[in-house]
Amino acid sequence: MFNFEKLEVWQDSRKLVKEIYLITSSFPDEEKFGLTSQLRRAAVSISSNIAEGNSRFSHKDKSHFTEIAYTSLMEVANQLIIATDLNYINEDTLSKKKKLIELISKKLSGLYKYQRNNP
């Protein structure tokens, strides 16, 4: 087991990836190279940056990748709102995903603060 696999925030972000893939599988075909691809890449970026950052040696590098993971998380949140605006998902689905995004957001913020304060 790699160190990043022990992080709850990484495990939660994997759950989000799976949920994003399930949601986007019902998007219209014309979104295959648009919103579907963008949402999937942003979601995968969260867990990938957590893994990459946790593999770095300096706390500054670690926190930088955690920050990138956070920005990708906000990208996913934004794109889910847009998907709702376009009626690709309903408000209930958005609300459920926002709860998971908020959970991941809090954990990423905590991880970031720890990394920045423990050089």
Side-chain angles (χ1 to χ4, degrees):
M1 177 178 272
F2 296 104
N3 281 338
F4 67 84
E5 291 179 281
K6 298 172 188 171
L7 295 172
E8 283 183 25
V9 68
W10 179 80
Q11 295 167 12
D12 292 339
S13 67
R14 282 181 56 218
K15 180 180 177 185
L16 180 62
V17 169
K18 185 175 179 180
E19 291 181 16
I20 293 299
Y21 268 75
L22 290 171
I23 289 170
T24 56
S25 66
S26 66
F27 282 13
D29 287 341
E30 64 264 17
E31 289 295 347
K32 183 176 182 180
F33 299 108
L35 194 54
T36 299
S37 174
Q38 193 75 8
L39 250 170
R40 289 177 175 186
R41 284 185 294 124
V44 169
S45 176
I46 300 162
S47 60
S48 296
N49 278 292
I50 293 167
E52 184 171 355
N54 197 59
S55 302
R56 298 290 176 134
F57 292 110
S58 79
H59 285 283
K60 184 177 180 182
D61 281 348
K62 289 175 190 276
S63 66
H64 175 71
F65 280 91
T66 300
E67 186 175 17
I68 294 170
Y70 183 86
T71 59
S72 293
L73 181 65
M74 292 302 106
E75 186 178 350
V76 169
N78 174 65
Q79 292 165 358
L80 286 173
I81 293 167
I82 291 169
T84 306
D85 292 344
L86 296 171
N87 294 317
Y88 296 160
I89 62 174
N90 60 39
E91 290 286 339
D92 184 54
T93 300
L94 176 62
S95 178
K96 288 177 183 173
K97 297 311 154 231
K98 275 186 166 182
K99 288 178 184 174
L100 180 55
I101 289 169
E102 287 175 24
L103 174 71
I104 294 169
S105 171
K106 289 176 184 174
K107 289 181 181 181
L108 281 174
S109 293
L111 180 60
Y112 179 82
K113 288 174 186 171
Y114 172 80
Q115 291 166 334
R116 294 299 287 185
N117 294 326
N118 293 291

